[in-house]
Amino acid sequence: MNNLVVFFAFSILVCLSHAIEVDFCVADRNLPRGPEGYACRDPATLTTDDFVYTGFRGGRTITNVPGNNVTLAFVDQFPALNGLGISMARLDFGVSGVIPVHSHRTSEVLIVSRGSIIAGFIDTNNTAYYRRLEVGDVMIFPQAMLHFQVNVGTTPATAFVSLNGANPAIQFTMNSLFGGNLPADIAQQITLLSNAEVMRMKRAFGTA
């Protein structure tokens, strides 16, 4: 009986363990992505350059209405992240620039490297947690929580974020409601906005 218990306990441990059989798995983006990421490129074809991302270099030109420029270092931009469960992004803000309310599949940690921003998130009890952040300050946004950033300084601002997923995705709330294929009458019902307000928003997103 004791041997049987030991056997089953060992079997459970084996099932729960995830043996690491390769050192890394740089994404082969020529093949389809699966639920766990991309297939691995042949290590024999890799060089040091495959493990270096230079997309955060230099300044940024900001021309969009929200006044931001977001540079992603997700797996599609940096294939070496495949399977590692991490990613990054650079957030640049013009004066009064914002990153509108959005969410990810993952948690996020942010550090301010230039300027001053207000950052915050809203939990499922509709409690908002927000704070003015200065250079060097760090804030965490828990997984799937709606969150935002606003430049409240008198100069441009920059922040860097890290997320615990190679493909965390970004879902902007306003884009989801008014920038996609959701019919205007349904958007009106679920947002309690008037038809005129919904159509104004859809025209702003080019979907009217």
Side-chain angles (χ1 to χ4, degrees), residues 109-190:
V109 61
L110 173 147
I111 182 168
V112 179
S113 63
R114 179 178 62 150
S116 177
I117 68 173
I118 286 179
F121 68 91
I122 304 167
D123 71 8
T124 55
N125 292 316
N126 294 322
T127 300
Y129 299 86
Y130 59 94
R131 175 79 177 270
R132 181 168 182 148
L133 305 177
E134 307 293 343
V135 172
D137 290 346
V138 174
M139 186 169 185
I140 187 72
F141 307 107
Q143 180 177 355
M145 296 289 98
L146 294 172
H147 58 286
F148 56 89
Q149 296 91 25
V150 183
N151 182 4
V152 292
T154 58
T155 63
T158 302
F160 291 87
V161 299
S162 180
L163 305 101
N164 62 330
N167 181 38
I170 307 172
Q171 184 175 27
F172 286 100
T173 305
M174 298 294 282
N175 297 58
S176 298
L177 290 171
F178 307 112
N181 64 346
L182 185 68
D185 58 334
I186 297 179
Q188 180 181 347
Q189 289 177 307
I190 65 176

Side-chain angles (χ1 to χ4, degrees), residues 181-200:
N181 64 346
L182 185 68
D185 58 334
I186 297 179
Q188 180 181 347
Q189 289 177 307
I190 65 176
T191 61
L192 305 181
L193 297 175
S194 69
N195 180 260
E197 290 170 322
V198 168
M199 294 308 298
R200 179 173 63 83

Side-chain angles (χ1 to χ4, degrees), residues 66-81:
N68 70 56
N69 185 296
V70 178
T71 305
L72 301 179
F74 293 179
V75 67
D76 284 336
Q77 295 79 29
F78 191 10
L81 297 176

